[in-house]
Amino acid sequence: MRITILGSAAGGGFPQWNCNCRQCAGVRSGALRARARTQSSIFVQGEAGCDGVLFNASPDILEQIRSNPTLQPKRAIRDTAIAGVLLMDGQIDHATGLFMLRERGSPLPLWCTDPVHEDLTTGNPVLNVLGHYCGVARRRIEPDGSPFEIPGAAHLRLRAFALASKAAPYSPHREQPTPGDNIGVLIADTRSGRSAFYAPGLGEITPALFDVMSGADAVLVDGTFWTDDEMIALGLSKKTARDIGHLPQSGPGGMIEWLDRLPARTRRCLIHINNTNPILDEDSAQRAELARHGIVPCEDGMTLEL
Ligand code: MLT
Ligand code: MN
Ligand code: ZN
């Protein structure tokens, strides 16, 4: 299978439009050695040239499609390689791009859990609005690990797992976590048997989830924050990383400790990186620490062949 990283930043992207923090200002001016990044999304194909699955529809989807011609084959006057869209949650950074796909000639095949479907038909009724354009052919994801396939996306088999993270602020269950608000997906290539685990929003790793991660050849997991109090320390928020459903990388019980316990062969990648996270600065001590642990921060346009 081929995984194309369309967007590796968290909500807001990097640099964020209104942010003058050291990193956003630095990447804008060129003073910081860092790459700009669009918002959180991947495209997965059974092999290069096949139609595939779009995981999340970011607000940057049009720019992402322009930068990655594999999503736009030229087989007909109107064409796309997106066989279906699968949502990891109902947040703005993962669902707003659905509006941009409205010119389709047929209803958009959309895979999401019941809680996400509820969010996107009530609190933020994107799917109702799309009903006035191409419409949506919604397929239910059960976040219980049962296998499913997406018609048109050859050689891929998926399994979704409910994660402890957070629903969007407009969700009816923002403060009553519901299984399926956020999912992680194990993506397997049915021919090679190789697999990747993708979870851009991951607040807590349970032993059962760690077993799933341990069986994957690659993990692409929540890289939002380095420290739990990152936004508080910068005076940008009163909430910790864990408060908003993101496990920080550093510290006891943090993502680095978990990734250290994976089998040596597992590729370890961080995705959904917030603009405040010091790992974006290629010259930072934190970036060097990741390298010492064999952890790679995803970049837009990067591909993984598994
Ligand atoms: C999150 O992942 O916590 C959200 O996407 C944040 C946001 O988009 O505002
Ligand atoms: Mn997000
Ligand atoms: Zn910033």
Side-chain angles (χ1 to χ4, degrees):
M1 93 177 94
R2 168 179 283 197
I3 302 176
T4 304
I5 309 299
L6 301 180
S8 51
F14 180 54
Q16 181 174 304
W17 67 280
N18 63 348
C19 190
N20 294 304
C21 76
R22 176 185 164 273
Q23 301 206 138
C24 287
V27 73
R28 219 177 264 124
S29 73
L32 191 82
R33 215 158 62 86
R35 285 176 186 252
R37 285 165 164 85
T38 62
Q39 294 166 83
S40 181
S41 176
I42 65 172
F43 185 62
V44 184
Q45 293 156 293
E47 63 190 17
C50 284
D51 287 357
V53 183
L54 179 69
F55 289 77
N56 299 321
S58 117
D60 302 314
I61 180 77
L62 298 183
E63 182 188 338
Q64 293 169 341
I65 293 172
R66 275 193 292 268
S67 308
N68 294 280
T70 189
L71 278 94
Q72 222 298 308
K74 304 180 196 78
R75 299 166 295 198
I77 180 138
R78 296 259 163 102
D79 198 13
T80 179
I82 301 171
V85 181
L86 188 155
L87 300 179
M88 310 303 291
D89 57 47
Q91 301 251 18
I92 298 253
D93 57 345
H94 291 163
T96 310
L98 293 172
F99 282 137
M100 270 59 252
L101 304 178
R102 68 191 178 284
E103 292 92 354
R104 281 181 60 98
S106 59
L108 175 70
L110 181 76
W111 297 71
C112 64
T113 62
D114 280 343
V116 167
H117 185 252
E118 187 187 355
D119 293 355
L120 297 182
T121 48
T122 60
N124 181 12
V126 178
L127 305 186
N128 306 355
V129 175
L130 275 178
H132 298 277
Y133 298 88
C134 59
V136 171
R138 190 254 168 160
R139 306 274 184 267
R140 174 180 291 115
I141 295 178
E142 298 292 354
D144 59 1
S146 52
F148 61 100
E149 290 178 13
I150 295 195
H155 317 304
L156 297 179
R157 185 167 299 139
L158 311 176
R159 296 167 65 196
F161 300 88
L163 301 180
S165 188
K166 209 74 198 243
Y170 41 80
S171 168
H173 27 89
R174 168 82 164 174
E175 299 307 331
Q176 294 95 39
T178 305
D181 282 339
N182 304 80
I183 56 171
V185 177
L186 188 68
I187 311 158
D189 181 319
T190 52
R191 294 172 304 171
S192 68
R194 303 192 77 199
S195 62
F197 178 72
Y198 175 57
L202 180 53
E204 196 188 318
I205 299 179
T206 59
L209 188 69
F210 187 71
D211 279 352
V212 174
M213 290 170 62
S214 301
D217 296 280
V219 297
L220 291 89
V221 289
D222 193 328
T224 315
F225 298 115
W226 180 257
T227 47
D228 200 33
D229 70 347
E230 191 164 309
M231 298 290 278
I232 301 173
L234 288 168
L236 297 175
S237 169
K238 292 188 165 40
K239 294 191 169 159
T240 65
R242 285 183 171 88
D243 283 340
I244 59 169
H246 299 292
L247 181 68
Q249 283 107 59
S250 65
M255 189 65 86
I256 294 175
E257 281 191 1
W258 282 104
L259 296 183
D260 275 346
R261 288 182 213 139
L262 289 173
R265 65 176 176 87
T266 313
R267 290 174 75 172
R268 300 142 155 86
C269 307
L270 296 175
I271 196 159
H272 190 277
I273 305 168
N274 199 54
N275 56 74
T276 52
N277 190 328
I279 65 172
L280 290 171
D281 175 352
E282 293 170 23
D283 297 314
S284 66
Q286 292 86 350
R287 180 67 164 254
E289 189 174 340
L290 282 191
R292 282 196 297 277
H293 290 268
I295 302 170
V296 176
C298 287
E299 290 177 1
D300 294 16
M302 185 177 133
T303 57
L304 276 83
E305 300 280 352
L306 289 172

